[in-house]
């Protein structure tokens, strides 16, 4: 499901009286790289405008801002532990590799560079 499709589902859910918050997200497993460092990660695409209704990520930021997550900005927010493993900080670039498969079932990586727009500390190591 794409983020716009998830947004429609979240909007319907917010109309229910027993729902106190809903925000769309998409999740994918990936590898993040910086130079020779390569680390597995779970990437979550969020809508920063409504994410604060369901999570405390904005209050756990130790550097940067959720505002960096503008559509088309090619920025991401990393957990502090992953940022330390990759030796990156806000403003640095990382390579993101996501496995994709074609119609024949062949798996190839989709590779793109992103800039670190923020770092959060969730207290989960």
């Amino acid at each position: 499901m794409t983020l716009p499709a998830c947004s429609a589902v979240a909007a319907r859910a917010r109309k229910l009286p027993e729902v106190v918050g809903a925000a769309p997200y998409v999740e994918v497993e990936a590898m993040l790289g910086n130079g020779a460092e390569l680390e597995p990660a779970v990437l979550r695409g969020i809508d920063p405008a409504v994410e604060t209704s369901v999570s405390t990520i904005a209050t756990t930021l130790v550097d940067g801002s959720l505002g960096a997550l503008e559509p088309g900005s090619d920025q991401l927010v990393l957990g502090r532990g992953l940022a330390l493993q990759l030796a990156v900080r806000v403003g640095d670039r990382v390579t993101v590799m996501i496995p994709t498969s074609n119609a024949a079932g062949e798996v190839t990586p989709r590779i793109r560079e992103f800039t670190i727009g923020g770092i959060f500390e969730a207290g989960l190591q």
Side-chain angles (χ1 to χ4, degrees), residues 1 3-16 19 21-25 47 50 53-54:
M1 189 178 292
L3 195 55
C6 292
S7 295
V9 172
R12 286 197 313 268
R14 281 191 292 273
K15 292 179 182 177
L16 300 172
V19 174
Y25 76 93
D47 179 347
V50 292
S53 73
V54 297

Side-chain angles (χ1 to χ4, degrees), residues 9-125:
V9 172
R12 286 197 313 268
R14 281 191 292 273
K15 292 179 182 177
L16 300 172
E18 58 273 4
V19 174
V20 294
Y25 76 93
V26 293
E27 195 171 88
V28 64
E29 292 181 3
M31 297 295 287
L32 273 64
N34 178 36
E37 297 298 321
L38 191 63
E39 295 291 336
V42 175
L43 296 182
R44 182 178 278 191
I46 64 168
D47 179 347
V50 292
E51 183 67 19
T52 57
S53 73
V54 297
S55 80
T56 59
I57 189 160
T59 63
T60 64
L61 285 169
V62 294
D63 197 7
S65 161
L66 281 186
L69 301 178
E70 290 292 321
S73 69
D74 288 343
Q75 294 200 42
L76 50 79
V77 174
L78 290 182
R80 186 174 161 269
L82 183 56
L84 288 171
Q85 288 175 310
L86 292 170
V88 294
R89 57 181 180 236
V90 170
D92 289 345
R93 297 190 56 79
V94 293
T95 301
V96 176
M97 292 169 276
I98 299 172
T100 60
S101 58
N102 61 20
E106 299 165 326
V107 177
T108 58
R110 184 172 170 197
I111 302 171
R112 248 173 90 186
E113 279 199 345
F114 288 83
T115 301
I116 308 300
I119 296 174
F120 68 93
E121 171 65 73
L124 303 171
Q125 304 305 328

